[in-house]
Amino acid sequence: MATTSLQELYVEQLQDLYSAEQQIIKALPKMIDAAHSDELRNALTGHLEITKTQAGRLEQICEELGEYPKNEKCKGMEGVLQEGSELVKEVSNEEVRDAAIIAAAQRVEHYEMAGYGTARTYATLLGFDDAAESLEQTLEEEKEADETLSSLAEQINVEALEEGESSRPAGSQSGRGKSSKSEKSGGKVRRIA
Ligand code: FE
Ligand code: ZN
Ligand code: FE
């Protein structure tokens, strides 16, 4: 459709986010099955429940606008999820696979954060204050999920690093020191209160 107003753009963003959430609801159980760490499985399971609530919020916002939520396919999220599942499948070691799951899941959260930030701002500009509040709530939940994954990565990435160490041929030199393991571990190194 030809989009001529910010409100139409807003509706498209909502539909795109709805499609993204639906795809995440399908993908998370596979990530949970593939995860080895209990903490990681619990975090993903918790976020699956939250994700269902988030999809419900989008349905409600669309309904109040008289719009059908299911008119867009989020090809971006499709790509993010497909890349993640391919990555996770190719890793056989449990610890390294958990690190890959975190890498994939954080891409999902950041992609969502971009969409919700935009949709929330449009809602505010268009005077849809309740919708803006509800989108802001989801945005905060996505940020929390990302932070939880970052804090899990602090341990899991280091375990993955040590696994790589033990499977490396004896005597091989990779030129890394213990002191720099945080920087090499990939995920953001950040303490969550
Ligand atoms: Fe979400
Ligand atoms: Zn999209
Ligand atoms: Fe999310």
Side-chain angles (χ1 to χ4, degrees):
M1 89 176 166
T3 303
T4 58
S5 67
L6 190 71
Q7 178 153 344
E8 283 171 12
L9 199 55
Y10 172 58
V11 171
E12 281 190 9
Q13 296 288 311
L14 294 172
Q15 291 167 334
D16 187 74
L17 283 165
Y18 184 75
S19 164
E21 297 292 14
Q22 292 302 320
Q23 294 181 58
I24 294 164
I25 289 168
K26 275 197 190 160
L28 270 174
K30 294 172 207 161
M31 288 168 100
I32 293 164
D33 282 347
H36 171 68
S37 143
D38 285 341
E39 289 96 332
L40 179 56
R41 268 209 309 278
N42 289 341
L44 296 172
T45 304
H47 196 61
L48 175 58
E49 286 316 303
I50 289 170
T51 301
K52 291 174 186 167
T53 306
Q54 295 172 340
R57 283 185 201 131
L58 290 167
E59 266 170 28
Q60 204 193 330
I61 293 170
C62 285
E63 274 164 27
E64 280 164 11
L65 288 168
E67 299 285 349
Y68 186 63
K70 299 177 185 171
N71 282 344
E72 295 280 324
K73 168 106 188 182
C74 182
K75 296 195 188 83
M77 187 57 77
E78 186 178 37
V80 168
L81 289 171
Q82 195 191 330
E83 195 175 288
S85 81
E86 281 166 15
L87 176 70
V88 168
K89 258 185 242 158
E90 80 193 20
V91 182
S92 56
N93 176 275
E94 285 171 344
E95 279 74 26
V96 180
R97 195 191 306 127
D98 279 358
I101 290 169
I102 292 174
Q106 286 196 288
R107 276 175 169 72
V108 169
E109 296 314 319
H110 278 256
Y111 194 86
E112 292 188 283
M113 280 153 59
Y116 277 107
T118 299
R120 183 269 332 266
T121 300
Y122 290 175
T124 303
L125 287 169
L126 293 163
F128 300 125
D129 294 343
D130 290 349
E133 206 174 295
S134 147
L135 293 165
E136 172 70 24
Q137 193 181 342
T138 297
L139 178 60
E140 289 307 314
E141 290 168 355
E142 310 297 20
K143 286 181 189 168
E144 260 172 51
D146 177 57
E147 284 170 5
T148 300
L149 290 164
S150 283
S151 66
L152 290 174
E154 286 186 32
Q155 192 194 330
I156 287 172
N157 288 351
V158 172
E159 284 170 9
L161 177 68
E162 283 158 6
E163 280 303 313
E165 201 89 316
S166 60
S167 62
R168 195 172 287 147
S172 83
Q173 297 289 322
S174 68
R176 50 159 296 278
K178 276 277 170 206
S179 61
S180 63
K181 67 185 178 183
S182 299
E183 284 75 30
K184 289 185 182 275
S185 66
K188 276 169 285 180
V189 178
R190 185 158 38 118
R191 277 281 153 221
I192 308 304

